[in-house]
Amino acid sequence: MYISLRIRLLLIFTLVLTIPFLTLSLLVPEWFGTIMEKKTTESTVEMMDQFSQYSDSLTSQVEDLGKQVLVNPATQEWVRSEENGLSDSDLLYMKNQLKTELSSMMVNNSKSMSVSVYLNDGTGTSQTLPPLREIVWFKEFYTYDQRWMRSHQEWSEEKVNSYLLPLFDLNTMDLSGVIKVNFPTVQLEDALEKVKLGEEGRVSLLDSKGRDVLGGLPAISSGIVKKSLNDMKHHTSRTGVVDVNQGGNEHLVFYQKMGVGDWILMSEIKKSDLYAPVHTLQRNLLLISAWIFLLTILVSFILSSNIVKPLRKLTDSMKLVEKGKFSEAEKGFPSIQTRNDEIGYAVKAFKDTTKTLDKLIKTEYQEKIRRKDAEYKALLLQINPHFLNNTLEVIGGLSAQGENRKVIDVTVHLGRMLSYSLDTERDVVTIGEELNYMRRYMEVLKLRHEDALKIEIEEDPALDKIAIIKFILQPLVENAVKYSFVQNDVASIAIFTRKIGDEAVLVVEDNGIGIPDAVIKELAKLDRNEHAVLDSRGQSIGLKNVLGRLKLSYGNRFSYSIERKNPEGTRITLRIGMEKEEET
C-alpha cells in the first residue's frame, strides 16, 4: 500500500515528538505526585516527631514536679494531719507551710507550672472544692486512671492542661487526695503551630475519644477523626498514615501516638489540595502536546515538498556507496533534481566525493596488497639465511670432530628441513607440520650438544590441523638454546601447545639468563609499528622476525607475552585467535 511522504513524516514526528511528550504528560505528573507525597510524608513525620519530643520533655517535667510534691515532707505531714486530729490552728499552719514549699518549687520552674494539692474532702492549697468523689475529672482519674486532663480554666483566667497524681501516705499507702500540676496550654499550642502540612493542611492534638486536648473543637472534622481513629485500631505502629474518604474527597491523615496518656497527634490534608500543582502541570503539558502535534503537521508538509524528496534519492545513492557499488550510485545521481540551495550543494558535493573516493579506494587497495606481500616476503627471506648459517656451523663442527655418521644424520635432517622450507607453494602449514619440522631441527641440535641439551615437546592434538604461518617456533627455540648456554652447562628447552577457548597458545620455555631489557624494549616497537621489523639490527633478529610476521598476518588476533622465570629462564607465549577457515 502506498503511503505518501507527507503522511509518513506526520507519523514519524507524531511517534518521535507528540506521543513521547504526551506519554510524559501522563507519567511525569504521576511520578512527581509520588515524590511529592513521599516528601510530604517525610517532612510531616519529622515535624510530628519534633512536636512529640517537645511534649515528652514538657510532660516529663510536669510528672517530675508532681513526684517532688508527693515525697516532700511538708506534703506528707499535711496528709497525716487529718488522721492525727490536730487543731484548726495546727492544720492551718501545716497548710501554709505546704503552700510555701509549693511556691518555692513553682518559682524554680521555667515552664510556668502551678501545683495544687487536694484532700479527699475537697480541702486544697489553692481553693476549697466539694468532696473529690463528686467532681467529674476526679471520677475519670479514680475510675479510668485518666491522669492527663484536657485544656480548661482554673481559678485563674489562663487555659491550662493538668496532670493528676494520687496523693497518699507513703507509710500506709492510703489514698488521701490528689496532686494537680497545671501547665499553660499555650505552650502546646505554640509548638503545634510549627507542624505544617502544606497550605491547606489541618493539625489537631486529640485524645483517644477524638476530643481536642487543647480545648474547643478539633481543626479536623469529626467525621474524618472518627474514621481515622477506627482505622488506627488495626495499626500497631506508633506512627502511620491512613486514607479516608469523606464526602467524595480523598484525605491523607498522618498520625502519631504520643507518649503522654492517650494523646494522638493528627495531621490531615485533601489529596486534591496536595496534588493541585501536579494537576496544573499535567494540564499545561497536555496543551503543549496539542501544539506540538499541530507543528508536526506543518513541518512534515514543508519537508516533504522541498527537502525530503531529494534527500531520499540521495540516501538511496549513499546506500549503494556504503555497499561499495560506486558505479550504480553514479548512475542514479542525474535523477536527483535539486535547486541552488544547501540541499543541492550537498548532492553535488556527494557526487564529487563518491567519484574521488572510488578512485582512491581502488588505488590504495592495490598499493596495500603489493606492500603487504612485499613485507611478508622480506620477513620470510630474513629467516632462512639465519637458519642455514647456524645449521652449517653444526655440520662444520661435526666434520672437524670426525663424526661422519652424525654428519650424515644431520645432512638427512637438513635435507628434509630444506624440503619443508623451500616449499614456496604455500606459506601456511598446520601446527602439527610445524612441530614435526621442529623435531627434525632439534635432532640437529642434539647431535651437536648431545647430553648438554634437554628438549621436551608437549603437543595438544586439538591443534594438529589448525593452520599457522611457517617458521614460528624455530627462531624462538634457537634464541632459547643460545641464552641457556650463556651461564649453564645444560640447556633445558620445552615446547607446549594448548587450545584454550578460541585461541591457539604456543609456549617456549628455557633455563637461560633471560632476554635482555634492551631487546624487550625493541620488541615493544612492534606493537606501535609492525613495519619496524624490516629494519631489525643487532640481537634477536629471529624473535623480532617471528613477532613481526605474526602481527602482519593476524593483526589484532595475535598477542604475546615474555616472562622471566625466577630464579632463571624465560617463557615466551604466543596467542593466536582461531577462525574456521584456518582449519585444514
Side-chain angles (χ1 to χ4, degrees), residues 175-212:
L175 182 64
S176 301
V178 65
I179 300 172
K180 189 168 183 287
V181 183
N182 301 324
F183 59 95
T185 302
V186 69
Q187 294 187 3
L188 291 176
E189 292 175 339
D190 291 344
L192 193 63
E193 288 180 358
K194 297 178 181 179
V195 182
K196 296 293 184 180
L197 187 58
E199 296 294 333
E200 305 294 334
R202 290 156 288 277
V203 183
S204 295
L205 183 61
L206 310 172
D207 61 15
S208 60
K209 297 179 182 179
R211 299 176 298 182
D212 193 346

Side-chain angles (χ1 to χ4, degrees), residues 104-161:
S104 176
M105 292 181 185
M106 289 185 288
V107 168
N108 294 330
N109 186 272
S110 62
K111 297 296 183 180
S112 302
M113 299 178 190
S114 62
V115 184
S116 300
V117 181
Y118 297 97
L119 299 177
N120 288 329
D121 61 359
T123 302
T125 57
S126 58
Q127 60 180 330
T128 300
L129 301 175
L132 294 181
R133 293 185 183 274
E134 298 178 6
I135 300 176
V136 176
W137 56 262
F138 184 81
K139 290 180 180 179
E140 292 184 356
F141 162 73
Y142 186 77
T143 305
Y144 304 108
D145 195 26
Q146 190 78 355
R147 298 196 176 193
W148 293 93
M149 294 180 59
R150 296 188 301 128
S151 179
H152 58 283
Q153 284 186 330
E154 282 278 306
W155 46 272
S156 64
E157 295 182 358
E158 185 181 26
K159 291 173 58 179
V160 296
N161 287 80

Side-chain angles (χ1 to χ4, degrees), residues 10 13 180 266 313 323 384 388 400 407 409 429 433 507:
L10 178 61
F13 284 132
K180 189 168 183 287
M266 192 176 293
K313 292 187 176 182
K323 296 177 181 179
N384 288 330
L388 289 175
V407 170
D409 292 339
V429 295
E433 290 175 320
V507 180

Side-chain angles (χ1 to χ4, degrees), residues 202-230:
R202 290 156 288 277
V203 183
S204 295
L205 183 61
L206 310 172
D207 61 15
S208 60
K209 297 179 182 179
R211 299 176 298 182
D212 193 346
V213 173
L214 305 181
L217 296 176
I220 305 174
S221 68
S222 59
I224 295 177
V225 170
K226 183 177 180 181
K227 290 182 180 180
S228 300
L229 292 175
N230 185 58

Side-chain angles (χ1 to χ4, degrees), residues 13 17-18 21 285 287-297:
F13 284 132
L17 296 176
T18 307
F21 204 87
L285 289 175
L287 289 174
I288 294 175
S289 299
W291 280 106
I292 290 178
F293 180 72
L294 295 175
L295 182 62
T296 57
I297 296 176

Side-chain angles (χ1 to χ4, degrees), residues 454 456 480 483-484 487-488 490-496 507-517 520 561-573:
K454 295 181 179 180
E456 177 187 357
Y483 288 114
S484 295
Q487 293 182 347
N488 302 320
V490 177
S492 296
I493 310 299
I495 301 176
F496 303 97
V507 180
V508 176
E509 294 183 355
D510 63 66
N511 64 336
I513 61 173
I515 298 178
D517 291 336
I520 294 178
S561 62
I562 301 177
E563 307 171 53
R564 290 186 177 181
K565 301 188 299 179
N566 290 321
E568 59 184 12
T570 301
R571 176 189 289 130
I572 299 177
T573 303

